[in-house]
Amino acid sequence: APVNYDVVVVGTGGAGLAAAIQAHDDGARVVIIEKMPTIGGNTIKASVGMNAAETRYQKLKGIEDSKELFYEETLKGGKFKNNPVLLREFVEQAPEAIEWLAAKDIELCDITITGGMSIDRTHRPEDRSAVGGFLISGLVKNVNLRNIEVLLETSVAEILVENGAVTGVKVVDEYNDSRIINAKSVIVATGGFSANREMVVKYRPELDGFVTTNHKGATGSGIAMLQHIGADTVDMGEIQIHPTVEQTTSYLISEAMRGGGAILVSQAGKRFYNEMETRDKVSAEIIALPEKSAWIVFDEQVRANNKAADEYIAKGFVISAPTPHELAVKLNMDQEALQTTLGRYNEFVAKQDDEDFGRKTALRHPLNKGPYFAIRIAPGVHHTMGGVTINTDTAVLDAQKEVIPGAWAAGEVVGGIHGANRIGGNAVADIIIFGIKAGHNAAKLALGH
Ligand code: ADP
């Protein structure tokens, strides 16, 4: 028998959970549907943090920033391909989204930096741990507090439309039983398609054979479902490879490591690029090396400041040694070369001027405190910037840029905000900012306000 709700949320990543909480708080009866057996989607793997400019936490730390600069740097990082209207909305709403989380006891009060940004604006948990697990557990607590229903191992197979407006979804559960759920608003927060190799290769044949950092639910099903009801898409070929992925496990080595002062070194023992450039550029430089891989190298000070480092050590990714010479031996690297590279980099830190590669940010401190550490990394498919088109209300748009009434989308399933390259820390901002909006507007439509 069919069941009635006001709002159906598809997906339990950050976008879906934020949307569900907001829709509930606006008075809607909400159900969340997740095809995987666990909550958290790809968001749970998010590492570095959430970008926002002009926040209370920045002010507390005396960091001067502006929304305008955040806008410009994101646009430049996205190669000026970003949808300017969505990007403006994103930048405007970011500090409020940080406060929305704080009000729910999800405080991102430590701040670091990512590639392509000039200012510390990546907000993360106080203990400097990865943002994803912290965010999802905080959101889940809020979902549970509100008794919002979550159906796991249940896929939305189809979005139902009558007379041009959404009327609900068809779901299929783990026993392959299908049923209809009625709702005036359906929020599609199904994430990207990095784990759908066929779809990735369709748009970017040269990415065949690349590992992906994504969870296996990142198949792009939401894009297909929305296209089926007339949604338009944008930037589908814009697929980001992340430069620092441990290849045997496809595990992402967070940008927070470089943001905390780590460098990239080739097998020849040399730095080869500005480590704090955007992900697309750093990835291209690694692929251009003879080994198509590199080492992320750091010292005890960087380790001590990044909780993720200890996780990498525990996972067995990290080679360590008391001195640079001994590290070079273990890496099968020229000892003099690595010593020279570190010495030269440390001089650049001392004068805050990277003469070789023009690194301007995160020249945090000299790498001179043992033990020394290295992780072998190479790029992997990480984020799909393309997706369905929406307006600033998160209403899904068709090819004529007309809204499809009742269809909402937020998060990685949406295209346009990040242009041709997503900046680290901007995905978490995206999912929370637009998740809140989707929840609010979906509830408003369903309740007839
Ligand atoms: P975002 O970062 O945009 O919030 P995530 O990748 O974190 O996206 O989460 C998307 C979630 O949606 C994942 O947990 C994924 O398993 C789920 N999902 C994807 N397609 C479907 C579907 N057709 N039905 C139900 N859940 C889905």
Side-chain angles (χ1 to χ4, degrees), residues 10-16 33-36 40-43 154-156 189-192 215 217 221-222 225 410-413 431:
V10 194
T12 59
I33 299 170
E34 169 58 54
K35 69 176 177 177
M36 303 297 282
N42 211 56
T43 301
T154 305
S155 281
V156 172
T190 49
H215 86 130
S221 68
M225 281 192 293
E412 197 175 343
V413 68
I431 63 182

Side-chain angles (χ1 to χ4, degrees), residues 388-437:
V388 298
T389 53
I390 58 166
N391 64 16
T392 54
D393 289 337
T394 75
V396 176
L397 302 178
D398 66 15
Q400 280 71 49
K401 301 197 168 19
E402 299 288 339
V403 310
I404 303 171
W408 312 92
E412 197 175 343
V413 68
V414 170
I417 294 156
H418 307 290
N421 176 63
R422 179 178 64 76
I423 297 290
N426 274 1
V428 172
D430 176 6
I431 63 182
I432 301 303
I433 292 164
F434 289 100
I436 297 168
K437 267 181 171 290

Side-chain angles (χ1 to χ4, degrees), residues 188-270:
V188 178
T190 49
F193 59 93
S194 288
N196 184 337
R197 177 162 293 185
E198 209 172 292
M199 201 164 160
V200 166
V201 172
K202 173 180 162 192
Y203 292 105
R204 292 281 296 280
E206 79 279 16
L207 295 179
D208 200 7
F210 275 64
V211 301
T212 180
T213 60
N214 279 212
H215 86 130
K216 70 180 200 301
T219 57
S221 68
I223 298 175
M225 281 192 293
L226 284 169
Q227 279 181 308
H228 190 69
I229 64 164
D232 198 11
T233 59
V234 65
D235 295 342
M236 292 297 286
E238 300 297 352
I239 297 174
Q240 176 172 80
I241 50 177
H242 190 292
T244 59
V245 182
E246 200 284 328
Q247 296 289 300
T248 61
T249 55
S250 304
Y251 206 83
L252 180 80
I253 306 304
S254 173
E255 210 166 320
M257 298 303 298
R258 282 170 285 145
I263 60 172
L264 293 175
V265 174
S266 68
Q267 188 58 45
K270 294 186 174 141

